Amino acid sequence: MTKTVLIADDEPNILISLEYLMKREGYRVLLAHDGQEACDLIASEHPDMVLLDVMMPKKTGFEVCHAIRADETFKAMPILLLTAKGRDTDVAKGLAMGANDYMIKPFSTKELAQKVRELLESAE
Amino acid sequence: MLKGMTSQRLLALFAAGVVLFNFPLLMLWDHEVQVWGIPLFPLGLFVVWAALIAALAWVMETREG
Amino acid sequence: MVAPALVVGVTLAYLLILFAVAYFGDKRAEAGRSVIASPWVYALSMAVYCTAWTYFGSVGRAANAGVWFLPIYLGPMLAMILAWLVVRKMIRIAKTYRITSIADFVASRYGKSPLLAGLVTLITVVGIVPYMALQLKAIASGYAVLTLPLGQSMATPADWWADGVLYMALALAGFTIVFGTRHLDSSERHEGMVAAIAFESVVKLLAFLLVGAFVTYGMFGGMGDIFSQALAQDNLKHLLAFDQGQPFAYSQWFTLTLLAMLSVVFLPRQFQVMVVENVDERHLRRAVWVFPLYLLLINIFVLPIALGGLLYFGVDTVDPETFVLSLPLAQGYNWLALVAFVGGVSAATGMVVVEAIAVSTMVCNDLVMPLLLRTRRFGERSGGDLTGLLLGIRRTAIVLILLLGYVYFHLAGNTYALVSIGLISFAAVAQFAPAVLGGMYWKGGTRNGALAGLLAGFVLWTYTLMLPSLAKSGWVSANFLEYGPLGIAWLKPEAFLGLEGMDNLSHALFWSLFANISAYVWVSLWQRPAAREASQALLFVDVFQRTSVAHPVFWQGQAKVTDLLHLTGRFLGEAKTERLFADYAQQVGVYDIGQIPADAKLVHFVETQLTGAIGSASARVMVASVVEEEALELDDVMRILEEASELRVALEKLKSLDHLKDDFMSSVTHELRTPLTSIRALTEMMQDDPEMELEQRQQFLGIVVAETERLSRLVNQVLDMAKIEAGHAEWHNSDVDMREIVQQAVNSVAGTCRERGIALQTELPPQLAPLRADADRLVQVVLNLLSNAIKFVPEGSGKIDVRVRDSAAGVTVEVQDNGIGIAPDKHAQVFEKFRQVENAAGSQQGTGLGLPISRQIVEHFGGRMWLASQAGRGACFSFFLPR
């Protein structure tokens, strides 16, 4: 069965590149331009996994993370944080908010694809 | 120095202690009455004393937010 | 009766255990794993307040005056409520300036006066000797009760060398020497000793509670039983009420409470354990309530034991001060009596050891050293290591203090009750309160004021309390008590100036403190303080406001590092001095001792180190002897203070700048990484996928190019910003016509506006006087406002108006759009770096630096830029440039 991956980022160009990458990997892709849209899509579409940018308008990645984990239905959904700040404190905060893993921008597409695969497998 | 809550609470507690251990509040306990077989005056002093310790412990052990 | 050998054996064994505890504490301290670094141990060490006086004397007092033993413990309760405010400040002051005794505290505060230090020491020694004697008396009479048949008292041996008390005093001196003066430490801390004291506090509490429980529940049927039996007897009933028939009962109650409140802080041993031996200020937080709790516990059984003894033995048969021992003995519980005796020995030795250490430090630093340093042999520029001498003086002082106590015990000890002796000492140390507390909170107190206050208080204390006590012991004729000296009635010591009716303690305390405070305040107000007094006053009163970095150093003159090194070596030893100076070198950022700058800071450092070893007054004299000082005037003090506070402001500014820079770097990093992410991902995918459709490839390449442009724009703007902020930007100023500038900017965006269907209108005055500015920069500013507006107006129906207005003061340019507008609470944010206010499209192609840079440019020419807008009503960015 095809897995669905939600990508949330406020940079349109990053969305375009990640959409292409994830489709090439064989996933169904959902796109969100801000934190609120991401939350709405998660609630309505139940994706199998989420790629979350941290600095987003309306709701930050941390807040989205928190909202996801607060909902019993999505307790086990893998979350991969994409952060451009790369400070230890940000990473620690993200993990504390319930993210499974993080990648620092700019990342290697191969590593990202690998991580997504692993997280989806471990969630089964 | 007196800006924090702790300082103000301590000063208030000190004032309460001084008043409780002196004239005229001290007279409240000075009666020929016994509670649980213990004369009221020493008992009253010990009770006030214990209450002051408890209040002091509370002030010192709760950190200001 | 217990066999004397057993009593001596058990006592010695107990002392050995104490010894082991202290040794263990010292070893752990050397290994860096302190056993006393805990608020609990700290609180227990404060319980050194409970001496043999508490242990035996309280019961005695309760048997005579009922509840009146309590004010001595209610006072500390009240004092501890304020300890977090007052004692913490004392600790901070003592730690910051390396003050190791109460004499040094007073001397240091009032301009490092040797005279004051000496006076405080003298008062302490005179005041504390009776108290030492009290401990010896307690152990001696306890021993007598244990080893002799009930009710029989010990005969004083004919020969002094046969007196066991003398040997006990010497043994205690030896114990004190081993733990108090084994080595010289410039902070005067004794971890082993504190550990032993805490241990003793546990022992005396448990022993007392054990006896209390035995009497209350073993001999009687509980508290209720004792009290009801006592209430049934007319001669005991009154003990349980407040009124014992004394005049001014409430004022006496208050006096006792106040006295105990002051003593718990100003007794030398309390100052030693609370302030000098404090490991961490934060321990005080818990100790302030644990210590009163300890006092409450140790007092619970005092009344039951006293009443039990009186009920059992009858009134006036057995000395109530020995009830703790005699009650178990009378019941045949010899082992319990022995345990109680060990508890009493605990209480006595704890007090003697700490008091002797504290007083010996004072005698050495504040009495002997200042005199020795005046002599040719030790003073000024003579050489030689003096660490051995310092230790020798302290050891001798300890032995002398205990011998003095022994002598007093023989002279006056037998006639006085323990409690009365203790109260005399309490009243003596209470004399320190005005000078110490005044010095901590009032900058106006002067050296002469403190001297006058202490002298007046001390003289009246001697006259109204000490002399009468000697007279009552029969050593001085008691005539002057009855009729006044030379028959002058109004000079009667216990009714001074005709003040009659009060008990002698309240009377003495009132007169001595009244004279003390009055003299202190009035003499202080008489003259302005000298420069050194004023500077020390600032350092003490404002101790919490001074950080170590911006600490003012009140010294000016010239010094040589080698002289200071040599001086320190004499008092602290060569090895330790080397280490101290090496640390200091590292602190000031030089590689070896030779490179240390010989400035005021170094002089201050050396003086502080020496203060720990020989007291502030002697340290001042010694430092002054090896450096060339310039006299410090009051103006200098004010100037130095001002410089220090300027330094502090500068430091805070630097810190906040540093923080800003961190934020800036983190934002730049974020802004650089975002375009790089798209570029890397897209190029990698194109590389991996050679068969990608051409159209797709073209789209991706387009994005890569756009993102690269964004990157270069960002780099340029960051550099621009940095240059402008650092003041390195180049400005090509010429006479510019604002109309041309605006026209130029409008022309360059006209094409874009046409494409997006945006109506762009300009409104320019017919003529405009020129401004002196950089034309290119101004074009950049207007362009920036225009491209911002273009981003925010709706495509197809957008409308942008550019207006230029002239006035006498200068030119105003407005760029008004009909976009989504910006809520007033976000107005400040738009001018912050990297703050992009969210827009409708959700696309942010800006760098977040355009507006901040524009504002910087405008401000560079003395103008200002602002925003007028409300959400949904469009935005109007304006700037004004003065002529």
Side-chain angles (χ1 to χ4, degrees):
Chain A
M1 203 190 107
T2 318
K3 301 275 187 193
T4 307
V5 175
L6 171 76
I7 307 167
D9 201 310
D10 59 335
E11 284 285 332
N13 291 338
I14 292 182
L15 280 183
I16 291 172
S17 29
L18 288 182
E19 182 186 13
Y20 184 87
L21 178 69
M22 288 297 117
K23 278 189 173 157
R24 199 182 66 184
E25 292 292 311
Y27 306 122
R28 190 166 82 92
V29 176
L30 298 169
L31 297 180
H33 298 85
D34 58 56
Q36 188 53 52
E37 199 182 349
C39 285
D40 297 344
L41 278 172
I42 290 165
S44 60
E45 304 286 326
H46 292 71
D48 296 288
M49 137 153 224
V50 189
L51 298 184
L52 266 185
D53 177 33
V54 175
M55 299 266 285
M56 282 187 295
K58 292 181 183 159
K59 265 187 184 172
T60 68
F62 295 143
E63 287 165 332
V64 177
C65 239
H66 191 71
I68 294 172
R69 291 303 183 223
D71 188 330
E72 199 56 43
T73 333
F74 304 116
K75 272 256 153 36
M77 189 174 69
I79 303 174
L80 180 59
L81 276 184
L82 306 173
T83 163
K85 287 218 168 172
R87 284 194 298 203
D88 294 345
T89 48
D90 295 321
V91 168
K93 189 174 174 193
L95 295 180
M97 286 290 170
N100 298 66
D101 211 337
Y102 66 93
M103 293 205 79
I104 292 173
K105 294 178 179 177
F107 39 76
S108 138
T109 45
K110 290 195 188 73
E111 275 175 35
L112 179 68
Q114 172 73 19
K115 265 214 171 115
V116 169
R117 229 175 358 255
E118 282 169 11
L119 283 170
L120 280 170
E121 274 165 21
S122 69
E124 272 167 14
Chain B
M1 195 186 99
L2 299 178
K3 279 176 201 147
M5 271 305 263
T6 305
S7 309
Q8 295 176 45
R9 283 178 183 156
L10 289 175
L11 285 177
L13 195 61
F14 177 74
V18 170
V19 172
L20 283 168
F21 283 146
N22 276 292
F23 181 83
L25 282 181
L26 214 52
M27 281 167 71
L28 291 183
W29 311 101
D30 198 14
H31 296 291
E32 279 191 41
V33 180
Q34 283 122 62
V35 181
W36 308 305
I38 300 171
L40 185 64
F41 190 60
L43 182 72
L45 282 177
F46 273 96
V47 167
V48 171
W49 190 357
L52 279 179
I53 293 173
L56 183 56
W58 175 75
V59 172
M60 296 316 293
E61 302 286 334
T62 43
R63 304 297 163 101
E64 296 170 34
Chain C
M1 246 178 78
V2 184
L6 183 61
V7 178
V8 173
V10 167
T11 309
L12 283 181
Y14 176 67
L15 285 180
L16 272 179
I17 293 175
L18 272 190
F19 202 83
V21 171
Y23 186 76
F24 174 69
D26 266 348
K27 278 279 158 266
R28 285 280 294 256
E30 276 162 31
R33 291 177 303 142
S34 173
V35 276
I36 68 164
S38 137
W40 300 97
V41 175
Y42 182 53
L44 283 173
S45 71
M46 283 186 195
V48 74
Y49 181 73
C50 299
T51 65
W53 184 32
T54 300
Y55 203 83
F56 300 111
S58 277
V59 176
R61 177 133 176 120
N64 290 321
V67 289
W68 281 77
F69 73 97
L70 269 177
I72 298 302
Y73 305 95
L74 299 181
M77 168 77 245
L78 295 177
M80 284 300 114
I81 297 179
L82 289 186
W84 180 248
L85 307 178
V86 179
V87 176
R88 191 165 58 105
K89 189 166 186 180
M90 292 170 94
I91 294 174
R92 183 69 68 85
I93 292 171
K95 291 224 164 119
T96 313
Y97 310 120
R98 294 223 170 215
I99 286 164
T100 54
S101 71
I102 198 153
D104 209 18
F105 195 95
V106 175
S108 178
R109 160 62 182 83
Y110 298 102
K112 310 192 177 176
S113 153
L115 199 58
L116 258 180
L119 181 61
V120 172
T121 306
L122 201 70
I123 296 178
T124 308
V125 172
V126 175
I128 230 65
V129 162
Y131 209 169
M132 290 285 211
L134 183 159
Q135 310 302 321
L136 299 178
K137 176 181 152 92
I139 299 182
S141 53
Y143 177 77
V145 169
L146 275 186
T147 54
L148 296 174
L150 208 59
Q152 195 173 319
S153 67
M154 178 115 75
T156 312
D159 300 306
W160 59 267
W161 45 263
D163 189 356
V165 181
L166 173 63
Y167 294 107
M168 196 183 62
L170 289 176
L172 284 176
F175 188 79
T176 312
I177 286 171
V178 172
F179 282 99
T181 56
R182 253 193 338 172
H183 45 76
L184 202 62
D185 177 37
S186 58
S187 65
E188 281 306 321
R189 291 195 40 234
H190 313 84
E191 297 228 341
M193 182 200 76
V194 174
I197 296 307
F199 176 76
E200 284 193 311
S201 292
V202 176
V203 171
K204 68 190 176 204
L205 178 64
L206 291 180
F208 196 83
L209 289 179
L210 198 62
V211 175
F214 167 75
V215 173
T216 314
Y217 302 103
M219 295 175 62
F220 292 86
M223 296 244 186
D225 182 33
I226 295 186
F227 284 120
S228 59
Q229 285 195 39
L231 285 168
Q233 293 201 19
D234 279 341
N235 57 350
L236 295 184
K237 193 175 164 186
H238 69 279
L239 292 176
L240 292 164
F242 175 77
D243 191 5
Q244 310 273 319
Q246 59 283 70
F248 300 112
Y250 283 104
S251 77
Q252 195 184 344
W253 182 275
F254 175 78
T255 304
L256 287 168
T257 313
L258 175 73
L259 201 55
M261 215 177 114
L262 297 177
S263 304
V264 83
V265 179
F266 295 111
L267 278 168
R269 65 172 188 280
Q270 295 302 125
F271 188 86
Q272 181 78 27
V273 294
M274 241 191 261
V275 178
V276 180
E277 306 282 354
N278 173 279
V279 181
D280 185 336
E281 248 173 58
R282 285 167 298 181
H283 289 169
L284 199 58
R285 203 177 257 281
R286 181 154 297 153
V288 295
W289 65 266
V290 174
F291 172 48
L293 185 64
Y294 182 100
L295 295 180
L296 183 130
L297 288 177
I298 209 167
N299 276 299
I300 281 185
F301 286 115
V302 168
L303 264 182
I305 293 176
L307 295 173
L310 291 173
L311 287 167
Y312 185 83
F313 295 118
V315 181
D316 284 340
T317 51
V318 173
D319 180 3
E321 289 186 345
T322 62
F323 278 170
V324 182
L325 304 172
S326 49
L327 281 171
L329 276 181
Q331 292 281 303
Y333 283 85
N334 287 359
W335 66 269
L336 185 57
L338 204 55
V339 168
F341 181 67
V342 168
V345 169
S346 247
T349 50
M351 180 277 181
V352 169
V353 168
V354 185
E355 203 91 82
I357 287 176
V359 177
S360 74
T361 308
M362 283 159 77
V363 169
C364 170
N365 289 357
D366 303 311
L367 218 54
V368 181
M369 280 316 277
L371 296 177
L372 271 190
L373 292 177
R374 280 177 192 218
T375 63
R376 187 170 293 277
R377 203 168 145 214
F378 299 106
E380 306 275 308
R381 292 178 184 275
S382 73
D385 188 333
L386 295 181
T387 49
L389 178 75
L390 280 172
L391 282 179
I393 295 173
R394 285 179 197 195
R395 288 171 184 163
T396 316
I398 290 173
V399 174
L400 283 179
I401 292 161
L402 273 155
L403 285 180
L404 267 178
Y406 172 73
V407 169
Y408 187 93
F409 160 68
H410 264 286
L411 292 186
N414 288 329
T415 44
Y416 248 73
L418 295 179
V419 169
S420 313
I421 299 180
L423 289 176
I424 293 175
S425 294
F426 272 31
V429 296
Q431 303 307 323
F432 302 147
V436 172
L437 294 176
M440 283 165 64
Y441 294 98
W442 181 39
K443 288 178 192 160
T446 66
R447 185 190 78 117
N448 287 344
L451 266 178
L454 281 171
L455 264 180
F458 182 54
V459 166
L460 274 161
W461 170 80
T462 311
Y463 188 67
T464 57
L465 205 59
M466 189 68 182
L467 273 184
S469 91
L470 287 177
K472 283 171 193 167
S473 312
W475 290 93
V476 185
S477 158
N479 271 344
F480 77 104
L481 279 187
E482 292 262 339
Y483 310 107
L486 306 170
I488 305 170
W490 56 270
L491 279 182
K492 275 197 281 185
E494 295 188 328
F496 194 63
L497 300 186
L499 190 70
E500 278 180 270
M502 288 165 100
D503 64 292
N504 61 348
L505 182 73
S506 304
H507 174 264
L509 192 72
F510 167 74
W511 277 120
S512 58
L513 276 186
F514 174 71
N516 185 335
I517 294 171
S518 308
Y520 172 62
V521 172
W522 285 107
V523 175
S524 289
L525 292 175
W526 195 256
Q527 300 168 299
R528 288 187 145 276
R532 189 154 296 285
E533 290 166 59
S535 63
Q536 288 299 108
L538 284 168
L539 294 180
F540 270 56
V541 176
D542 295 338
V543 69
F544 283 116
Q545 283 142 43
R546 313 225 169 273
T547 57
S548 59
V549 189
H551 212 90
V553 177
F554 296 106
W555 186 85
Q556 50 192 14
Q558 286 181 329
K560 280 203 201 110
V561 176
T562 47
D563 289 344
L564 291 168
L565 191 71
H566 176 69
L567 178 70
T568 316
R570 282 178 66 199
F571 293 99
L572 296 178
E574 294 287 334
K576 187 161 182 200
T577 304
E578 287 279 330
R579 210 165 57 238
L580 278 173
F581 273 67
D583 287 349
Y584 179 80
Q586 209 165 31
Q587 218 182 344
V588 296
V590 296
Y591 292 103
D592 71 41
I593 295 175
Q595 289 174 311
I596 295 176
D599 53 6
K601 205 172 153 204
L602 175 70
V603 173
H604 176 72
F605 171 75
V606 168
E607 196 172 322
T608 312
Q609 296 303 322
L610 287 181
T611 297
I614 57 174
S616 63
S618 304
R620 184 82 279 283
V621 173
M622 291 321 289
V623 168
S625 73
V626 300
V627 298
E628 283 170 37
E629 291 190 328
E630 289 164 27
L632 200 65
E633 301 294 332
L634 210 51
D635 293 345
D636 297 324
V637 172
M638 298 327 284
R639 178 180 52 78
I640 290 168
L641 195 68
E642 210 163 280
E643 280 166 9
S645 69
E646 270 164 24
L647 188 69
R648 192 164 66 225
V649 170
L651 197 79
E652 269 157 23
K653 212 165 160 186
L654 265 181
K655 270 188 197 156
S656 87
L657 272 181
D658 210 41
H659 190 70
L660 273 180
K661 204 186 83 198
D662 275 358
D663 273 3
F664 182 75
M665 284 314 292
S666 148
S667 301
V668 169
T669 312
H670 180 264
E671 295 305 312
L672 286 172
R673 280 179 166 161
T674 302
L676 278 174
T677 308
S678 312
I679 294 172
R680 179 166 183 189
L682 292 170
T683 46
E684 271 185 16
M685 288 187 297
M686 286 190 279
Q687 193 182 29
D688 291 350
D689 198 356
E691 266 129 63
M692 191 185 279
E693 280 172 36
L694 189 64
E695 203 181 328
Q696 183 78 70
R697 193 176 284 267
Q698 282 301 331
Q699 189 206 351
F700 283 0
L701 283 172
I703 295 177
V704 171
V705 171
E707 293 288 11
T708 317
E709 282 169 355
R710 179 171 160 193
L711 268 179
S712 16
R713 204 162 55 234
L714 181 76
V715 171
N716 286 338
Q717 287 191 334
V718 168
L719 286 177
D720 224 20
M721 187 88 208
K723 271 191 196 162
I724 295 174
E725 282 194 340
H728 295 321
E730 289 175 27
W731 304 89
H732 303 285
N733 288 357
S734 60
D735 286 336
V736 295
D737 185 339
M738 208 57 204
R739 291 177 304 175
E740 283 173 23
I741 302 281
V742 170
Q743 203 54 58
Q744 202 180 329
V746 166
N747 290 345
S748 60
V749 294
T752 322
C753 287
R754 249 195 318 278
E755 277 170 30
R756 300 199 185 180
I758 298 168
L760 179 60
Q761 290 182 340
T762 52
E763 196 180 299
L764 304 175
Q767 65 188 90
L768 204 57
L771 289 167
R772 190 80 190 158
D774 183 325
D776 289 344
R777 295 279 187 190
L778 290 184
V779 172
Q780 190 187 344
V781 171
V782 181
L783 252 181
N784 220 311
L785 297 183
L786 285 173
S787 44
N788 253 341
I790 291 169
K791 259 189 283 172
F792 287 89
V793 295
E795 219 158 308
S797 60
K799 196 167 169 299
I800 300 174
D801 292 323
V802 185
R803 288 183 288 268
V804 177
R805 287 191 195 156
D806 193 18
S807 70
V811 181
T812 308
V813 179
E814 291 174 5
V815 178
Q816 166 88 54
D817 65 47
N818 67 338
I820 50 164
I822 298 166
D825 60 319
K826 297 255 171 71
H827 285 189
Q829 281 183 22
V830 300
F831 293 108
E832 279 174 33
K833 287 168 217 159
F834 301 112
R835 271 311 172 91
Q836 303 185 2
V837 176
E838 293 156 25
N839 62 31
S843 73
Q844 299 175 350
Q845 291 306 316
T847 56
L849 280 174
L851 278 172
I853 289 180
S854 300
R855 188 183 222 181
Q856 293 260 3
I857 293 171
V858 169
E859 283 172 359
H860 176 82
F861 294 115
R864 60 203 164 83
M865 177 178 274
W866 68 95
L867 162 67
S869 171
Q870 278 182 334
R873 299 255 196 94
C876 179
F877 282 92
S878 317
F879 65 90
F880 165 81
L881 286 173
R883 247 182 256 285

